[in-house]
Amino acid sequence: MNKNLFKNILLSFSTLFILIFLSEILLRFFYKPLNSGWGWDDSPRRNLSNFKNDFPNQLGLRGQNINYTNEDFVILILGDSQVEAATSSPNKMPEILLENYLSEISKKSVKVFSLAAAGWGQDQQLLTLEKYFENFRADLVLIWSTPKNDFWENTFPDRNVGKIAGHLKPTFKLVNNNLDGPFFTSNSYYKNSVFLQLVYSAIQNYKNQTIEQLVLDNWNYDLPESHNLSEIKKIKSFEVDLNEYSQNILQYKDSSQITILTHENFIEGRSHFTPYLIPKSKRDIYSIDITKKLIEKIDQLSNKNHAKLLVIYPIRDDFDIVSKKCVKFVKSYYFPENYFEVNLNFAEVLKQKVHSENLFMFKINGGDEICIDFKDRHLNDLGNDQVMKNVGEYISNKFFK
C-alpha cells in the first residue's frame, strides 16, 4: 500500500514537473516578458522632439548614424537626458556640436556618437558600451556625469524617486566590492522563468501592486541600511517646495539656510539628495561605491578596446553654486518634523569616484538663458555649445598634440 502511494506521489510530481516545463517553453512564444530598459523610441523625453529627421542610431539611441572611416578619430558620449538633448534638433545635439568644433580647431577627421537616454545611469551606459564594441571601435569614451542623478540611479533596479517602483532597467549589485549582474536585462524573465513571472504577477495583481514593486522590495532587502527617523531636529530655516525652488533657483542666490520640502524618498536613498545628506547612511556610501565601480568597469572596457576614458562635468551657477551655498536642509512632506542636513557639493563627491587623470570639470557661465525654460533646467543649445567648446579645447590639447 505504501509502495503504491509512493509511486502515485512520484508520478504526480513528475507529471506536474513535465507540465510546468512544457508550459515554460510554450509561454515563451506567447507571453511578453518584463520590459526592462529603454532607448530613444521609448525615452521619457521622446515626446519633446517633433523633428521629422529624428531617428535612432544602430543601437536604438538618439543620434547620428554610426559610420566612420579608418582615418577618423572616433569619440563616444555616454550619458543621460543631457546627451540625448530631446529638445534640440538633430544637428544641434552635443555630439554634433563637439564633432564640428573639434574638426574645425584640430583639422582632424573626427566622428562623435551618442550612447545615452534620459534617466540612464552608468549601469545602462556600461551595458550599451559593451554592445557598441561588439561591432564598432572608438578612440575616446566620454561620460557626461550627472552627480545629481547618477548615484541613486545606479543603486536601484528601477527609476523613480518615490516608494512606488518605476520602470525596470538592467542594473548591477555590488557584492564584496565587485559588480554582480547584470540583472533584469532586456527581455529576460523574472527568476529566469516566464511561468514564475506569471505566478508573481497574479499575486501582485491580487495585492493591487505591480511585479516591478516586488522586484524593488526584494532588491531593497539586499541593500545596506538607509537613514532612520529616530533623531528629530527642529530648525529655524526658510522652507521652500522642491519644484518651486528648482523653477526659481537663481532668485534664491542671496538666501541662506534654505530647507527643501520634497516628496522624494531621500530617506531610503531614492532622491536627487542622495548621497549628500549629513551624515551619509550606509546606503548612501554604497551608492558612491557602486558608481565608482561602474566607472572603473567602463574604463577597463574602454582600455580593452583601445580607447581612453574621460569623465566630464560642467559646473553650473544654478545647481552647483547656488544650491551648494544656500540649501542646508531637506525634509519630507511625509515626516515634516524631521530635518536632514545636506551638503550639495556635487563636484566634491564626484571627485571621490573618478581618478583625477580621467576627470575634467569646468565652469560654464549663464543662468536661465542657457536652460530650456524655467520648468526644464536642462541645458539648451546655447548651454550645450558652451560645454562642447570647453570639452573640445580640452580634448584637442590633451589628445591631439
Side-chain angles (χ1 to χ4, degrees):
M1 183 68 178
N2 290 336
K3 187 174 182 180
N4 289 334
L5 179 61
F6 176 77
K7 287 182 178 179
N8 289 334
I9 292 174
L10 181 62
L11 179 61
S12 298
F13 274 102
S14 300
T15 303
L16 181 62
F17 176 80
I18 293 171
L19 288 174
I20 292 175
F21 179 76
L22 292 175
S23 298
E24 177 73 31
I25 295 174
L26 290 173
L27 285 169
R28 286 180 179 252
F29 288 100
F30 301 105
Y31 185 77
K32 185 178 180 180
L34 282 172
N35 182 17
S36 175
W38 55 91
W40 175 232
D41 286 341
D42 47 0
S43 167
R45 292 173 65 84
R46 178 67 177 87
N47 64 323
L48 299 179
S49 174
N50 57 3
F51 303 100
K52 293 182 179 179
N53 59 337
D54 215 338
F55 302 107
N57 60 29
Q58 293 95 315
L59 295 178
L61 305 170
R62 190 177 194 229
Q64 64 176 325
N65 194 53
I66 301 171
N67 186 26
Y68 53 80
T69 67
N70 292 334
E71 290 73 34
D72 290 328
F73 188 90
V74 180
I75 301 175
L76 306 178
I77 310 181
L78 309 183
D80 53 16
S81 52
Q82 193 60 66
V83 176
E84 186 185 63
T87 61
S88 298
S89 65
N91 63 351
K92 287 287 186 178
M93 288 180 61
E95 62 173 22
I96 302 300
L97 297 175
L98 180 60
E99 181 175 297
N100 291 342
Y101 189 74
L102 277 173
S103 297
E104 179 182 344
I105 65 173
S106 69
K107 307 304 179 184
K108 290 180 177 289
S109 181
V110 179
K111 286 289 185 180
V112 184
F113 308 109
S114 299
L115 302 183
W120 272 17
Q122 275 72 54
D123 46 9
Q124 293 165 96
Q125 294 167 23
L126 169 60
L127 293 171
T128 303
L129 185 62
E130 289 178 343
K131 291 181 181 178
Y132 175 91
F133 279 132
E134 290 176 0
N135 298 297
F136 305 105
R137 68 168 181 86
D139 298 288
L140 178 63
V141 175
L142 303 181
I143 298 177
W144 187 332
S145 180
T146 311
K148 188 179 179 184
N149 299 343
D150 288 342
F151 296 106
W152 65 269
E153 288 173 344
N154 291 329
T155 304
F156 297 94
D158 71 313
R159 192 184 190 277
N160 193 14
V161 291
K163 287 182 174 291
I164 304 302
H167 186 78
L168 289 181
K169 63 185 180 70
T171 195
F172 297 83
K173 290 181 179 179
L174 190 61
V175 180
N176 297 324
N177 202 36
N178 291 307
L179 291 177
D180 185 19
F183 299 90
F184 312 113
T185 54
S186 182
N187 294 326
S188 66
Y189 297 89
Y190 186 63
K191 300 294 185 184
N192 203 32
S193 167
V194 65
F195 181 82
L196 283 178
Q197 183 178 325
L198 278 171
V199 172
Y200 285 125
S201 294
I203 294 173
Q204 290 299 98
N205 287 337
Y206 179 77
K207 296 179 180 179
N208 292 320
Q209 293 184 344
T210 64
I211 194 170
E212 286 83 1
Q213 190 65 46
L214 179 62
V215 169
L216 174 61
D217 292 343
N218 288 336
W219 190 272
N220 284 339
Y221 283 121
D222 294 331
L223 291 178
E225 293 179 16
S226 57
H227 293 275
N228 62 64
L229 300 172
S230 60
E231 184 176 346
I232 297 179
K233 298 178 182 178
K234 292 185 182 277
I235 307 293
K236 287 186 177 180
S237 173
F238 173 66
E239 298 180 359
V240 58
D241 176 80
L242 177 59
N243 290 331
E244 168 70 19
Y245 173 78
S246 299
Q247 293 176 15
N248 302 284
I249 186 170
L250 295 173
Q251 297 179 23
Y252 295 101
K253 64 181 180 180
D254 296 323
S255 303
S256 61
Q257 296 291 99
I258 290 178
T259 294
I260 298 296
L261 287 158
T262 179
H263 290 91
E264 294 186 354
N265 189 13
F266 63 85
I267 294 170
E268 295 185 8
R270 293 166 64 80
S271 166
H272 294 83
F273 299 97
T274 302
Y276 303 103
L277 272 64
I278 302 173
K280 293 179 176 59
S281 70
K282 292 181 180 180
R283 186 171 297 183
D284 290 339
I285 296 171
Y286 173 92
S287 71
I288 295 175
D289 291 342
I290 193 170
T291 300
K292 179 180 179 181
K293 185 62 66 173
L294 284 164
I295 291 178
E296 289 177 355
K297 189 70 173 180
I298 291 175
D299 187 22
Q300 294 168 6
L301 178 63
S302 300
N303 291 334
K304 181 180 178 181
N305 288 274
H306 314 292
K308 300 292 186 181
L309 176 70
L310 180 65
V311 179
I312 65 171
Y313 180 57
I315 297 174
R316 300 170 48 163
D317 285 332
D318 47 8
F319 296 144
D320 297 275
I321 307 302
V322 175
S323 291
K324 175 186 173 183
K325 170 181 174 290
C326 301
V327 177
K328 300 302 178 183
F329 302 96
V330 60
K331 72 175 184 176
S332 170
Y333 276 109
Y334 307 109
F335 307 102
E337 295 298 317
N338 295 78
Y339 289 77
F340 289 82
E341 188 176 355
V342 293
N343 179 13
L344 299 182
N345 192 337
F346 302 129
E348 185 60 34
V349 177
L350 183 60
K351 291 178 183 178
Q352 299 177 25
K353 69 171 184 174
V354 184
H355 196 281
S356 58
E357 293 183 359
N358 298 114
L359 180 61
F360 175 47
M361 295 192 294
F362 51 95
K363 178 75 168 60
I364 60 172
N365 300 314
D368 291 339
E369 73 276 11
I370 64 172
C371 298
I372 293 172
D373 59 42
F374 73 98
K375 289 186 178 181
D376 187 345
R377 301 203 68 83
H378 286 83
L379 295 176
N380 58 18
D381 292 345
L382 182 63
N384 283 330
D385 188 63
Q386 253 198 82
V387 172
M388 290 301 111
K389 281 185 177 179
N390 277 275
V391 174
E393 290 178 3
Y394 184 85
I395 290 174
S396 180
N397 291 329
K398 184 169 183 176
F399 298 100
F400 290 174
K401 291 184 178 180

